[in-house]
C-alpha cells in the first residue's frame, strides 16, 4: 500500500539474502522471537542510519500469533497482521512518531478485536508523501480515493502535516 499510495516513489522487491536487503522482515510466533521479549507489542521496527542521517537498513519483527489474552497463541487475523505490518513498514521508511488519530495506521496502538479495515489513511499518505516528496496525486488507501497532499517542509528538514500528525526526520530526504 505504501508503494501505491506514493505513486511508486517507494517500491519493494524481494531479494535472496539479508545482505542485499534494505528492510529485513522477521516473523515470530511468540515474544521469544522479538528483540524485546518484555514489550507489549505485535511488531517492532529498528533502523540503522548513516553518518548523514540517511536510513541504510531496517529490521522489522512481527508476531504471527496473539501474545496474550483468551486467544493466546491463536494466529493473528489477516487484518490485524496487515495493520501491524503497515505500521512497522511506516517506521522503517522514516515515520518516526505515532499519530494521535485512531484511524491512522501510524496510531500508537491497535486493539486486537477492533482491527476492521487495515489501510493507510489520507493522513498517513500525506505524511509519507511529504517525507519522500512523492509525485501527486496520491491515494487514500482506506477509501480508495484520489487525494492531494501538500509538502510542509519546515526548518532543518523537519516535516509536519497540517494537523500536527507527526514530526519526521530528514532520514529519507533525497532517497
Amino acid at each position: 500500500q505504501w508503494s501505491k499510495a506514493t505513486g511508486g516513489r517507494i517500491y519493494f522487491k524481494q531479494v535472496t539474502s539479508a545482505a542485499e536487503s534494505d528492510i529485513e522482515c522477521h516473523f515470530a510466533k511468540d515474544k521469544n522471537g522479538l528483540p524485546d521479549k518484555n514489550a507489549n507489542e505485535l511488531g517492532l521496527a529498528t533502523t540503522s542510519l548513516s553518518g548523514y542521517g540517511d536510513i541504510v537498513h531496517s529490521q522489522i519483527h512481527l508476531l504471527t500469533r496473539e501474545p496474550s489474552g483468551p486467544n493466546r497463541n491463536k494466529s493473528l487475523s489477516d487484518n490485524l497482521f496487515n495493520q501491524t505490518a503497515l505500521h512497522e513498514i511506516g517506521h522503517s521508511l522514516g515515520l518516526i512518531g505515532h499519530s494521535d488519530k485512531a484511524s491512522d495506521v501510524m496510531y500508537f496502538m491497535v486493539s486486537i478485536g477492533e482491527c476492521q479495515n487495515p489501510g493507510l489513511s489520507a493522513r498517513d499518505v500525506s505524511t509519507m508523501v511529504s517525507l519522500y516528496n512523492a509525485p501527486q496525486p496520491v491515494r487514500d488507501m482506506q477509501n480508495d480515493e484520489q487525494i492531494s497532499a501538500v509538502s510542509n517542509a519546515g526548518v532543518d528538514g523537519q516535516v509536519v502535516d497540517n494537523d500536527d500528525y507527526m514530526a519526521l526526520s530528514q532520514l529519507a530526504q533525497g532517497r
Side-chain angles (χ1 to χ4, degrees), residues 1-10 120-122 124-126 128-129 134-142 145 147 149:
Q1 288 187 29
W2 287 116
S3 181
K4 183 178 177 184
T6 59
R9 173 77 181 198
I10 297 169
L120 304 176
S121 71
D124 292 318
V125 172
S126 178
M128 186 63 74
V129 166
Q136 295 175 16
V138 296
R139 300 197 69 78
D140 174 345
M141 301 305 291
Q142 286 180 338
E145 297 173 350
I147 60 171

Side-chain angles (χ1 to χ4, degrees), residues 16-29:
T16 57
S17 72
E20 297 175 73
S21 70
D22 293 321
I23 302 172
E24 285 180 59
C25 294
H26 302 272
F27 304 94
K29 62 183 176 183

Side-chain angles (χ1 to χ4, degrees), residues 72-132:
R72 186 172 188 267
N73 292 324
K74 179 182 172 190
S75 293
L76 294 178
S77 71
D78 288 346
N79 282 349
L80 182 57
F81 182 83
N82 289 338
Q83 182 88 3
T84 304
L86 279 172
H87 179 95
E88 299 306 333
I89 291 168
H91 285 313
S92 72
L93 294 173
L95 300 181
I96 60 171
H98 288 111
S99 169
D100 62 353
K101 306 284 187 205
S103 60
D104 296 333
V105 80
M106 294 309 297
Y107 188 60
F108 73 96
M109 65 174 277
V110 63
S111 296
I112 288 178
E114 294 179 20
C115 187
Q116 301 297 321
N117 183 22
L120 304 176
S121 71
R123 286 164 37 98
D124 292 318
V125 172
S126 178
T127 305
M128 186 63 74
V129 166
S130 294
L131 181 61
Y132 280 85

